[in-house]
Amino acid sequence: MWTAALVAASAAFLVSASTFQHSVPHSDQQSDQQGDAMVLDHTARLADGTHVRLDEAYAGRVVLVVNTASRCGFTPQFEGLQELHETYGDRGLSVLAFPTNDFNQDPGSTDEIVSFCRTEFGVTFSVFEKIKVRGDDAHPLYADLGSQPEPIGGAPKWNFTKFLIGRDGNVIGRFESRDSPTGEAMTGAIEAALAETASTPAG
């Protein structure tokens, strides 16, 4: 299903975007680079229309927020995201997928997107309604993510940008499209975050 053309197009985009690299603050810099705002202080709608107060639903959990697309060269990363959900969900990780057509690679309806995710990749983690993740019309969650200080902040440059949020509700890491969900950098950051105790409960 994943054509060479799709993969090549995504790869070409990445080559031309020199800023594509994962950004996880070193431990001695993390506190200085974290944003002060708890970015989960928003409501979002799940794919079935249920309104979810994010800071309440995921209070005290480590959260991975990902903007997804079903016609992208990186779409197979759904497999890795599902693996993270199965491996770390019981330990306190929540994976949240936010489909978007901001990069013209997910034109279908929310229902079509969810059906695709479930059928093709067996996704069981939370998938939300399709939203905007860039620009003036970005969902408030993504507006807050975009306002975080570098290197963890900024609007997504492409599909499957991954923001890691700690138990206290602050962004603690950012991984770009080509960073594998199950790669050592990401799993190491997740395990470190899960080992932390939230000093200030989200919400």
Side-chain angles (χ1 to χ4, degrees):
M1 176 173 292
W2 313 114
T3 65
L6 277 175
V7 175
S10 292
F13 182 91
L14 290 173
V15 169
S16 66
S18 60
T19 58
F20 268 50
Q21 57 184 349
H22 71 262
S23 303
V24 180
H26 296 296
S27 58
D28 59 345
Q29 299 174 328
Q30 183 168 312
S31 60
D32 293 334
Q33 292 177 322
Q34 278 182 276
D36 293 330
M38 293 184 183
V39 296
L40 296 181
D41 188 21
H42 297 291
T43 297
R45 287 206 300 187
L46 287 165
D48 65 4
T50 301
H51 287 80
V52 176
R53 182 73 190 183
L54 301 176
D55 56 349
E56 295 176 359
Y58 304 105
R61 294 183 66 83
V62 175
V63 177
L64 187 64
V65 174
V66 189
N67 60 294
T68 64
S70 56
R71 298 185 182 181
C72 176
F74 295 104
T75 299
Q77 287 192 11
F78 274 118
E79 292 180 356
L81 295 171
Q82 178 64 22
E83 184 175 336
L84 292 179
H85 170 69
E86 294 175 359
T87 301
Y88 298 110
D90 289 343
R91 292 174 53 186
L93 176 70
S94 293
V95 179
L96 312 185
F98 290 87
T100 182
N101 195 40
D102 282 5
F103 304 102
N104 300 312
Q105 293 192 320
D106 216 354
S109 67
T110 296
D111 286 346
E112 290 170 335
I113 292 166
V114 171
S115 177
F116 171 83
C117 293
R118 307 289 194 228
T119 302
E120 297 297 326
F121 298 103
V123 166
T124 58
F125 53 82
S126 297
V127 179
F128 288 76
E129 281 191 337
K130 189 161 72 168
I131 61 169
K132 303 283 288 183
V133 300
R134 294 174 57 87
D136 294 339
D137 296 328
H139 187 280
L141 168 63
Y142 271 88
D144 269 2
L145 290 170
S147 70
Q148 298 297 297
E150 295 184 353
I152 58 177
K157 297 179 177 68
W158 196 245
N159 303 306
F160 291 90
T161 300
K162 310 160 202 62
F163 293 93
L164 185 63
I165 301 169
R167 292 186 187 275
D168 61 359
N170 287 303
V171 182
I172 56 176
R174 172 181 172 138
F175 296 81
E176 303 297 347
S177 307
R178 60 183 168 190
D179 293 312
S180 169
T182 55
E184 185 175 340
M186 174 159 283
T187 57
I190 289 171
E191 290 179 1
L194 289 171
E196 294 290 332
T197 301
S199 57
T200 304

